[in-house]
Amino acid sequence: MEVNKIMVIGAGQMGAGIAQVFAEAEFDVILYDLEEGIVKKGLNKIASSLHRQVEKGEMTGVRREEVIKNISPSTLLQSAKNADLIIEAVIENMAVKLKIFEELDKTAPEHAILASNTSSLSITEIASATNRPEKVIGMHFMNPVPVMKLVEIIRGLETEDMVYEVIEELTKKLNKVPVEVNDYPGFVSNRILMPMINEAIYTLSEGVAKKEAIDEVMKLGMNHPMGPLTLADFIGLDTCLYIMETLHSGFGDDKYRPCPLLRKYVKAGRLGRKSGRGFYTYT
Ligand code: CAA
Ligand code: NAD
């Protein structure tokens, strides 16, 4: 199956990164979000991320412009009618994703593959919102997308082998490493990572150490590039909370209960880097 045109639904942290890496690999990309302003913000993120490469001499200014030209903005879900692969990267909320997949199923061409970048939610359930469950798959990129090599590929119960093979091939074309995991809450990445981050937040809330000390211990002691609280801010505290709630309800095990301090921060709108304030403040 030929894949030339990609549509990315959601121009946030992840959607912008996914659009960038496909544009760099010479695909035609449509970047969609609810409002023009949000899409524009996503395009600006891409432009500044590419500029890093220009500043490092890894990319010329001309090439940067060519990559940006591969991305067209859209606020119309109907743009999916021209896409071969649609990758959804909106808020980690099942109801929102189900509604989008139901819409996409009506608009996207029959051959199109519908993928979700969900961190933790059931691909099988997302697929149930469509009449093409065999063409629905999880294509889970890591943050920041231009840098992280891993893509977790998650089959839903009905996902057909051809679809898996196409996504695996595309992942390699992006110079990333596809890893097949099965459809269980949090897959592998967040089944292991998020409880660690949640435990760091409990460590903070119980006064075991200051936030800087907790991050320092994991950076210097375990060689993590970012401490868990800095990483939580980087991911987004809302996303971290939604993932913990998925693990908690998905496994019915209280060891996954989200730390009340995490819930409090999200309720206060302290979402981390993307809102300017989380455990740390970002200017
Ligand atoms: N976008 C693009 N490139 C970026 C970037 C961004 N947001 N941030 C950093 N980079 C690039 C820099 O350009 C630099 O490139 P070179 O090595 O070629 O010079 C490189 O990354 C290192 O950047 P810095 O030197 O500025 O900073 P750093 O050394 O601290 O690295 C980092 C930044 C790569 C983000 C590093 O801190 C890191 O790897 N952190 C952990 C990230 C992580 O764990 N991600 C997975 C989260 S879990 C997830 O994503 C799944 C989920 O569902 C929640
Ligand atoms: P984000 O908050 O940065 O962006 C979410 C985007 O979705 C926003 O631009 C918002 O306008 C858009 N959106 C919300 N509701 C929508 C709707 N009904 N229709 C269309 N667009 C809508 O979130 P993010 O961090 O980019 O995460 C997006 C997805 O990627 C989530 O499923 C998340 O779990 C997953 N993910 C996140 C990370 C991470 O580190 N942040 C890593 C891997 C996967």
Side-chain angles (χ1 to χ4, degrees):
M1 175 194 156
E2 270 289 291
V3 176
N4 300 304
K5 194 134 190 139
I6 313 284
M7 180 170 182
V8 178
I9 310 285
Q13 286 187 95
M14 296 307 287
I18 295 167
Q20 177 184 330
V21 297
F22 273 101
E24 285 191 68
E26 295 309 324
F27 287 86
D28 268 344
V29 182
I30 303 165
L31 180 59
Y32 163 94
D33 211 302
L34 292 164
E35 292 158 25
E36 256 172 62
I38 303 173
V39 180
K40 191 147 179 33
K41 223 169 123 200
L43 290 171
N44 291 341
K45 272 192 210 98
I46 295 168
S48 54
S49 175
L50 290 170
H51 194 63
R52 286 172 190 267
Q53 295 180 54
V54 173
E55 277 178 332
K56 286 181 302 196
E58 284 170 6
M59 183 183 276
T60 64
V62 170
R63 175 71 189 130
R64 174 173 171 262
E65 290 315 307
E66 284 166 0
V67 172
I68 291 173
K69 277 212 186 74
N70 286 341
I71 306 170
S72 30
S74 170
T75 53
L76 296 172
L77 219 47
Q78 287 72 14
S79 308
K81 67 180 185 312
N82 309 317
D84 304 310
L85 166 63
I86 297 120
I87 305 172
E88 168 274 314
V90 302
I91 182 171
E92 187 71 344
N93 174 294
M94 183 55 97
V96 172
K97 293 187 190 293
L98 290 175
K99 196 161 172 319
I100 288 174
F101 272 78
E102 195 184 341
E103 286 305 307
L104 288 173
D105 189 37
K106 291 184 197 129
T107 321
E110 229 169 83
H111 72 278
I113 292 172
L114 308 181
S116 175
N117 182 57
T118 179
S119 298
S120 60
L121 293 167
S122 163
I123 298 301
T124 303
E125 184 175 353
I126 290 171
S128 72
T130 74
N131 295 310
R132 65 177 91 184
E134 71 287 350
K135 293 209 166 15
V136 176
I137 194 162
M139 189 177 192
H140 183 209
F141 290 84
M142 301 291 132
N143 188 5
V145 177
V147 180
M148 308 311 275
K149 298 296 276 184
L150 172 70
V151 177
E152 267 184 326
I153 307 182
I154 306 105
R155 289 172 191 263
L157 210 53
E158 316 277 339
T159 307
E160 61 189 11
D161 289 349
M162 181 279 282
V163 169
Y164 181 84
E165 284 143 25
V166 166
I167 296 298
E168 189 181 50
E169 245 345 273
L170 274 177
T171 301
K172 289 176 185 164
K173 268 198 192 138
L174 299 175
N175 191 22
K176 294 189 181 291
V177 178
V179 174
E180 181 177 3
V181 302
N182 289 317
D183 191 17
Y184 289 97
F187 317 131
V188 171
S189 56
N190 286 308
R191 169 84 178 265
I192 299 171
L193 175 74
M194 225 26 93
M196 178 197 75
I197 288 180
N198 196 47
E199 211 46 47
I201 302 170
Y202 267 110
T203 307
L204 176 67
S205 71
E206 290 162 13
V208 178
K210 289 189 173 17
K211 56 179 182 288
E212 294 82 359
I214 293 167
D215 277 354
E216 206 67 356
V217 165
M218 297 309 283
K219 279 174 68 171
L220 301 184
M222 303 348 148
N223 228 10
H224 289 191
M226 275 176 171
L229 300 175
T230 303
L231 181 54
D233 277 354
F234 186 66
I235 292 168
L237 300 189
D238 50 344
T239 301
C240 293
L241 176 58
Y242 304 147
I243 295 168
M244 284 313 297
E245 285 172 340
T246 303
L247 296 177
H248 194 199
S249 58
F251 294 111
D253 187 332
D254 256 358
K255 73 178 178 183
Y256 296 115
R257 79 253 173 268
C259 178
L261 181 62
L262 173 59
R263 211 182 285 284
K264 189 190 283 187
Y265 273 37
V266 173
K267 283 199 168 86
R270 290 191 195 180
L271 305 182
R273 201 178 275 206
K274 67 183 174 184
S275 70
R277 189 175 180 192
F279 292 106
Y280 299 94
T281 304
Y282 302 87
T283 46

